[in-house]
Amino acid sequence: MRRFIFLGIFFFCLSTLFGYGQLTLESCHEKAIANYPQIKQYGLIEQTLEYNLANANKGYLPQLSFSAQATYQSDVTAIPIEIPGINIKGLNKDQYKASIELNQVIWDGGTIRSQKNSAQAASDVNSKKLDVEMYELNDRVNQLYFGILLIEEQLKQNVLLQQELERNYNQIKSYMINGIANQSDLDAVKVEQINARQRNTELKTGQEAYLRMLGAMIGEDIPGSQMLEKPDITLLPGNEIKRPELKLFEAQHLLYQTQKQTLSASNMPKLGLFIQGAYGNPGLNMLKNEFTPYYIAGIRVSWNFGTLYTQKNEKKIIDSNIRDNQIRQETFLFNTRLQMLQDNSEIKKIGDLMKEDDQIILLRDNIKKAAEIKVKNGTLSVTELLREINAADQAKQAKQLHEIQYLMAIYNLKNTINN
């Protein structure tokens, strides 16, 4: 039983060691967005919308108001006749009134509905703006991700170069015994070995910096570049543009339309019920000069014609904003299509270069092998051999660079059109 438990733990540790934490480019995109502090604004936008809609809905509730006033007037209403034996006391010039009024909307001309639509449209605009900002993270992740992969390939090639130089160093030492080479030839190889080790140090330092930056973006520690999965060379995406900026332009257009609705609603008549209870001197009976309670109930129609003066200009302002939004959308699509042409041109250029890489490497290796034979025969200097070794190494590095650049160009095009 213990044997089975031990084997289970062993295989679990193996799977954890080799499989856990493998990162893809797409998973890094998702984690970078989830880790970005500004992601919290989505929740704030939703909360703000809920509050605005709740406030707009309260416009349908009965509205209670209180008012009080004390006035003194220069003259009051009086009966212009005298009746013998009857003393009709006139009203006081100081008058007082306190009232509570309850209003219930029956029809508001669509004001509350337009307020709710405007709140929803404004929330959508803010959300789409945040989508655009979040989308920009993808390009930053791509630069770091492919930068790490490129350095990893360069490190692998550097190891092969150091092995090649070590082999040549040992050969030159044997040539010195036979008198074919001298100490300066050995020193020349040693210099190249030191240069290769220095290049290895530079690459590792750059790789560690890139890994720290990518780890900070996704909120995880990345112990090594082996954690990153190299993306497959996928088919080129289509030409349909699905960028979040387009949804933002659409949301802004809807917002301007709701502003038109709000403007139209503000110019409509309002109908409602009201009841007013008051206590004052005088009351409704103007001939009764004392404090008395009273109430008034009825239906009220109101229509503010003052907004008609500016309605035409305000509509023109909104129409101007709509046109400006359309122009910005057309400009965005124009620039995006230009970027697509540039991305496709870059993909084609690198693809054409890649077709010749293997042949260049084969020829450089043949030249290097021929140079080694010439050095062995004493017909070529070690300096010239090192030049051929470096040329062969550069050819292999160029192939690795082209492969990563090709992948990056494809994903740049995908990022350009969001496909």
Side-chain angles (χ1 to χ4, degrees), residues 33 195 259 283:
I33 291 175
N195 288 336
Q259 289 176 353

Side-chain angles (χ1 to χ4, degrees), residues 367-387:
I367 295 172
K368 180 189 69 175
K369 291 176 183 178
E372 289 175 349
I373 295 174
K374 291 180 180 178
V375 170
K376 184 177 181 181
N377 295 330
T379 59
L380 188 72
S381 68
V382 172
T383 301
E384 291 172 316
L385 170 62
L386 292 175
R387 183 173 66 246

Side-chain angles (χ1 to χ4, degrees), residues 78-93:
I79 299 177
I81 59 174
E82 292 183 2
I83 302 176
I86 299 176
N87 182 20
I88 301 176
K89 187 177 181 181
L91 296 175
N92 295 331
K93 291 185 177 181

Side-chain angles (χ1 to χ4, degrees), residues 309-342:
Y309 299 135
T310 59
Q311 181 183 15
K312 186 176 181 180
N313 287 336
E314 288 178 351
K315 281 187 176 180
K316 287 182 178 179
I317 292 174
I318 296 175
D319 289 336
S320 177
N321 290 334
I322 291 175
R323 181 54 185 157
D324 177 71
N325 186 60
Q326 292 173 343
I327 292 173
R328 287 188 289 111
Q329 179 176 349
E330 292 169 2
T331 303
F332 171 78
L333 289 172
F334 180 81
N335 291 332
T336 302
R337 292 188 181 103
L338 286 181
Q339 186 62 47
M340 288 171 57
L341 292 174
Q342 182 177 344

Side-chain angles (χ1 to χ4, degrees), residues 40-91:
K40 300 174 184 177
Q41 285 190 355
Y42 282 111
L44 297 178
I45 292 172
E46 292 179 0
Q47 288 181 1
T48 302
L49 175 60
E50 291 176 1
Y51 296 147
N52 288 333
L53 292 178
N55 287 337
N57 284 326
K58 288 177 181 178
Y60 293 114
L61 299 177
Q63 306 297 314
L64 188 65
S65 62
F66 170 79
S67 65
Q69 66 180 32
T71 64
Y72 183 87
Q73 52 197 66
S74 61
D75 201 1
V76 294
T77 302
I79 299 177
I81 59 174
E82 292 183 2
I83 302 176
I86 299 176
N87 182 20
I88 301 176
K89 187 177 181 181
L91 296 175

Side-chain angles (χ1 to χ4, degrees), residues 7-67:
L7 288 174
I9 295 174
F10 173 75
F11 285 115
F12 173 78
C13 293
L14 267 179
S15 63
T16 301
L17 178 63
F18 293 102
Y20 177 73
Q22 188 76 9
L23 293 172
T24 64
L25 180 59
E26 289 75 13
S27 67
C28 286
H29 288 163
E30 295 172 358
K31 291 181 179 184
I33 291 175
N35 185 57
Y36 201 58
Q38 209 166 1
I39 193 72
K40 300 174 184 177
Q41 285 190 355
Y42 282 111
L44 297 178
I45 292 172
E46 292 179 0
Q47 288 181 1
T48 302
L49 175 60
E50 291 176 1
Y51 296 147
N52 288 333
L53 292 178
N55 287 337
N57 284 326
K58 288 177 181 178
Y60 293 114
L61 299 177
Q63 306 297 314
L64 188 65
S65 62
F66 170 79
S67 65

